[in-house]
């Protein structure tokens, strides 16, 4: 019987990634180059689109998405409050205003299109939809709502790499799609990300912005005797390394097996926890595909979340909270007091949210242990 902690997340990185990284190191070309280009084209192909731009993080992906919209002070971007803070920070960095939207229900923790409809006004430039936990936000409703308006739809697909949807893979349905390859994500490169965009002109601009809008990249210039470049836009260095891209290519190949394992574990949790009185298991509505990135549960009303998490920790189960709502954070409360408002659905459930361990290396015995630990903590 193992006494090891059952971790919230873990990575499937193994010998194949080590071999790929070794090959890059031996090649002596470490910054973005041909391996990164292959990763971009393979990731795009997996999504069913023609091209993608690899970047150094999911935050960089979101920042580039906002830069491509030319946000200005006074502009508003509607952002789910139940997402990682990066989604709001990249708006605030422009001096624009993140306006927070509610979740739809205790069963659907993605952005509520009805609340988005209430928030639309001429200052709104974009809506961010996070595919929370790896389940699709209601892209059909959001697209219908925004059709005929100049408001862009930005998909934060950090939880949902290569997930099928009737309208196209998640990330490819809106105007811009952003992915993260952080260490806890389903597909990881340590730190990394990817951007896709419906408009090839926008994607080309994002590619230039990733590299200070130099008209020619370092690796393109490396073959010229007399190389030069121009600069025609204010950009950043958000390039990934070849080391990260080599890991990403291998990880992309692991996704189908990884997905199947996560789905089996999620089903095991649902079977083991479905009858616990008062415990909510969001995400029962059928979806064609999902990434099973997180397994969030809603503790029974009135349960002490800190005590619950401490009890699981003592029982060697690590938990987390995805997320503490952004509109509760001091910066966002203080700075956006005039546009801030209560979000009744999220406000009522945020204190009950806990994420259970979910990753492809968990055994059935680990999952059963987690189920027992949850039941024990709630009946103590
Ligand atoms: C991880 C994450 C990000 C940020 O990605 P990084 O690679 O950590 O910068 C953004 N949004 C969501 C929903 C995430 O989970």
């Amino acid at each position: 019987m193992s006494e090891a902690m059952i971790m919230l997340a873990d990575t499937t990185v193994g010998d194949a990634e080590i071999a790929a990284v070794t090959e890059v190191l031996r090649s002596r070309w470490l910054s973005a180059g041909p391996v990164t280009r292959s990763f971009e084209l393979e990731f795009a192909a997996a999504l069913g689109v023609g091209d993608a731009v690899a970047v150094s993080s999911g935050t960089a992906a979101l920042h580039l998405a906002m830069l491509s919209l030319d946000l200005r002070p006074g502009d508003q971007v509607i952002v789910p409050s139940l997402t990682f803070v990066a989604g709001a920070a990249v708006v605030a960095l422009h001096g624009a205003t993140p306006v927070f939207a509610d979740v739809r229900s205790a069963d659907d923790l993605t952005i509520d299109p009805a609340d988005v409809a209430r928030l639309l006004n001429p200052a709104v430039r974009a809506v961010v939809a996070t595919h929370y936990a790896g389940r699709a936000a209601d892209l059909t409703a959001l697209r219908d709502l925004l059709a005929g308006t100049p408001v862009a739809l930005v998909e934060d697909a950090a939880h949902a790499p290569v997930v099928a949807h009737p309208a196209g893979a998640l990330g490819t349905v809106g105007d811009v799609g952003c992915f993260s390859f952080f260490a806890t994500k389903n597909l990881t490169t340590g730190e990394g990300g990817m951007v896709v965009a419906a408009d090839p002109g926008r994607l080309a601009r994002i590619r230039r912005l990733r590299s200070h809008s130099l008209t020619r990249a370092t690796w393109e210039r490396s073959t010229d005797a007399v190389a030069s470049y121009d600069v025609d836009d204010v950009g950043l260095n958000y390039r990934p390394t070849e080391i990260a891209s080599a890991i990403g290519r291998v990880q992309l190949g692991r996704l189908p097996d990884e997905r199947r394992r996560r789905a089996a574990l999620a089903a095991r949790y649902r079977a083991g926890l479905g009858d616990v009185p008062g415990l909510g298991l969001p995400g029962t509505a059928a979806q064609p595909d999902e990434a099973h990135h997180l397994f969030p549960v809603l503790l029974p009303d009135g349960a002490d979340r800190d005590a619950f998490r401490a009890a699981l920790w003592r029982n060697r189960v690590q938990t987390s909270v995805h997320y503490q709502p952004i509109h509760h954070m001091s910066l966002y409360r203080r700075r956006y007091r005039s546009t801030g408002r209560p979000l009744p659905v999220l406000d009522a459930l945020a204190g009950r949210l806990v994420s259970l361990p979910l990753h492809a290396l968990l055994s059935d015995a680990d999952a059963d242990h987690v189920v027992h630990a949850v039941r024990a903590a709630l009946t103590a």
Side-chain angles (χ1 to χ4, degrees), residues 56-60 62 83-87 130 156 158-159 179-182 184-185 191-193 293 323:
S56 52
S57 71
T59 303
L62 287 163
T83 189
F84 186 56
V85 70
T130 297
D156 181 341
H159 297 179
F179 297 85
S180 166
F181 306 138
F182 180 61
T184 59
K185 302 300 194 316
E191 300 277 6
H293 175 56
Y323 295 88

Side-chain angles (χ1 to χ4, degrees), residues 124-288:
V124 173
R125 299 285 317 284
V127 175
V128 177
T130 297
H131 302 304
Y132 178 87
R135 293 175 63 84
D138 190 344
L139 294 172
T140 310
L142 291 169
R143 276 210 311 195
D144 288 352
L145 192 62
L146 302 183
T149 76
V151 178
L153 178 58
V154 176
E155 292 180 70
D156 181 341
H159 297 179
V162 194
V163 172
H165 182 275
L170 297 187
T172 70
V173 180
D175 296 282
V176 193
C178 302
F179 297 85
S180 166
F181 306 138
F182 180 61
T184 59
K185 302 300 194 316
N186 292 27
L187 185 170
T188 185
T189 64
E191 300 277 6
M194 194 76 80
V195 189
V196 294
D199 170 16
R202 185 195 301 279
L203 193 66
R205 179 159 177 228
I206 285 171
R207 183 180 298 285
R208 290 195 302 276
L209 289 167
R210 172 186 72 172
S211 207
H212 286 294
S213 295
L214 307 189
T215 48
R216 297 174 74 216
T218 308
W219 73 285
E220 290 166 338
R221 297 196 309 273
S222 68
T223 51
D224 281 11
V226 186
S228 68
Y229 59 84
D230 191 19
V231 171
D232 60 1
D233 205 347
V234 180
L236 295 147
N237 172 7
Y238 279 161
R239 296 182 302 271
T241 65
E242 292 283 86
I243 301 162
S245 297
I247 297 171
R249 293 182 71 195
V250 180
Q251 284 273 294
L252 184 60
R254 290 192 196 274
L255 262 188
D257 280 348
E258 198 257 11
R259 181 77 37 89
R260 267 190 292 279
R261 184 63 196 145
R262 284 175 179 268
L265 289 161
R268 206 171 177 92
Y269 279 156
R270 283 185 186 280
L273 295 171
D275 65 340
V276 178
L279 185 71
L281 305 179
T284 53
Q287 293 220 340

Side-chain angles (χ1 to χ4, degrees), residues 97-115:
T97 303
V99 182
F100 297 106
D102 212 338
V103 296
R104 183 179 252 164
S105 69
D107 192 50
D108 179 353
L109 298 175
T110 63
I111 193 166
D112 180 11
D115 204 32

